[in-house]
Amino acid sequence: MKYALRRTLDWYSDMSLWPQSNAWAIGSAFLTGALLEISTHPKPGLVTPRSNGSHRDMNLQTFMVSSAAIAPCLYQCAELGLGHSGPNWTVLASVREIGARYEARLLKATGGVNTQRGLLFSAGVLSAAAGLVMRHQPNCSEAALFDTAADMVRGICDRELRSLGNRTPQTAGEKLYKEYGVLGIRGEAEAGFPTVRSAGLPALRTARDSGAPLGAVLLDTLIAIMAEAEDTTLLWRGGPEALTFVQAEARRIRALGGALTEAGMAAIQTLDADCIARHLSPGGSADLLAVTVGVDALLGGILPPATPEPGASPAPAPNL
């Protein structure tokens, strides 16, 4: 009996033995990013395990149920890419169809609250792109992943934003383009996720290499993204002034050493209070943090283990 159980556990622990194991691995990487983003604290103006940030309609549990609702979408998009045989751009319509189904499930799970719709789009596109890359090779390189994602969505800004003309915009992305000319997450994806490539991943790797604990690595990566991202959530809530303010503060925090120094952490706490007072939330940057962690996990990156916070009481031993 023990031998049979051991063989069963070994089978489950070896993804190469699973049918469609690449799809599971891809989906799991991006779900990891979503969950680690949710669990990071403090995040200026954002929901964390200890704060609702600038939000009155959502908390940690809202994000947990929405993450559970969209998790299968990431696997299905990866599976779609793995099984696709045409040009890369021809898979997008099917990715959007899957995404629409899971957006509806997300909103049903949260009672209509928009928690992770931006992440659903980004992670869905990248999951499918990873599947496309891994159709003929066991691993996915950073360059191939982002180039394939850009090829998948090429022309999306022309089709969905620049072609608006005099038509009344319907979505938040369309309204922000009409008012400010910003391309939002569509532009980020069509450019091959430059904020993730140039800000998120380098910051994550540098913080990890410094030996910082997991929480500091994640928070430092978020600040690096906030300093560069054209965050449409900030634009929606406070206009260009809000975006300029948060970007400038994030750059100042980076100059202080970010989440890796006491001065940087003190400045992060101050920015959190300022964002809450102004009702600002860098939700677009939070989505890109999740994407960054997901891409790093997909590429084989290993984050430092989570450690108990100083002063935390150990859990009592279970009665067995």
Side-chain angles (χ1 to χ4, degrees):
M1 173 69 85
K2 289 183 178 179
Y3 177 73
L5 178 60
R6 179 69 265 160
R7 288 290 301 273
T8 301
L9 292 174
D10 287 345
W11 189 87
Y12 273 105
S13 67
D14 186 351
M15 290 285 288
S16 68
L17 299 176
W18 287 36
Q20 303 157 315
S21 60
N22 280 339
W24 285 111
I26 294 165
S28 178
F30 287 105
L31 180 59
T32 297
L35 295 177
L36 287 178
E37 184 277 315
I38 295 164
S39 66
T40 301
H41 177 87
K43 300 194 302 274
L46 294 161
V47 172
T48 81
R50 299 191 220 163
S51 170
N52 292 351
S54 301
H55 301 273
R56 296 190 178 97
D57 59 349
M58 61 183 76
N59 58 20
L60 177 66
Q61 284 74 31
T62 320
F63 276 86
M64 297 300 284
V65 297
S66 70
S67 295
I70 68 174
C73 176
L74 308 178
Y75 161 76
Q76 289 180 25
C77 288
E79 188 178 42
L80 187 67
L82 285 163
H84 189 67
S85 58
N88 292 338
W89 63 269
T90 60
V91 80
L92 180 62
S94 297
V95 170
R96 300 292 287 275
E97 182 179 343
I98 293 171
R101 290 203 301 269
Y102 280 92
E103 180 180 313
R105 295 184 186 188
L106 180 156
L107 293 173
K108 182 178 180 180
T110 63
V113 177
N114 173 19
T115 49
Q116 295 166 308
R117 288 163 81 178
L119 175 62
L120 183 61
F121 174 80
S122 298
V125 166
L126 285 166
S127 293
L132 290 169
V133 172
M134 296 171 72
R135 284 176 299 178
H136 307 297
Q137 59 191 60
N139 298 309
C140 185
S141 72
E142 181 178 327
L145 175 65
F146 290 128
D147 288 349
T148 301
D151 192 35
M152 269 181 59
V153 302
R154 73 176 187 265
I156 192 172
C157 292
D158 283 342
R159 292 192 303 272
E160 299 184 9
L161 296 177
R162 297 188 182 102
S163 63
L164 277 172
N166 294 324
R167 180 167 61 84
T168 301
Q170 300 297 315
T171 67
E174 291 175 352
K175 291 174 184 176
L176 289 170
Y177 174 76
K178 198 81 167 179
E179 188 166 359
Y180 303 118
V182 297
L183 299 175
I185 193 58
R186 294 176 179 85
E188 178 78 14
E190 189 170 11
F193 293 90
T195 307
V196 176
R197 287 199 321 264
S198 302
L201 286 170
L204 185 150
R205 291 162 180 164
T206 298
R208 176 172 55 204
D209 291 346
S210 76
L214 178 58
V217 170
L218 296 169
L219 183 53
D220 199 61
T221 304
L222 173 64
I223 296 300
I225 292 169
M226 288 168 55
E228 303 300 328
E230 189 177 64
D231 195 312
T232 52
T233 310
L234 287 171
L235 280 170
W236 183 260
R237 283 177 166 249
E241 297 82 7
L243 178 60
T244 300
F245 166 72
V246 170
Q247 285 179 331
E249 288 300 300
R251 288 166 187 162
R252 184 176 71 84
I253 292 168
R254 293 283 289 166
L256 292 171
L260 309 184
T261 67
E262 289 186 12
M265 281 300 301
I268 289 170
Q269 297 278 7
T270 299
L271 179 57
D272 184 29
D274 288 342
C275 284
I276 292 172
R278 300 181 185 208
H279 306 291
L280 302 178
S281 175
S285 298
D287 288 342
L288 293 178
L289 170 62
V291 167
T292 297
V293 175
V295 169
D296 182 71
L298 181 65
L299 299 178
I302 299 175
L303 291 169
T307 56
E309 295 187 15
S313 300
N319 295 320
L320 299 178

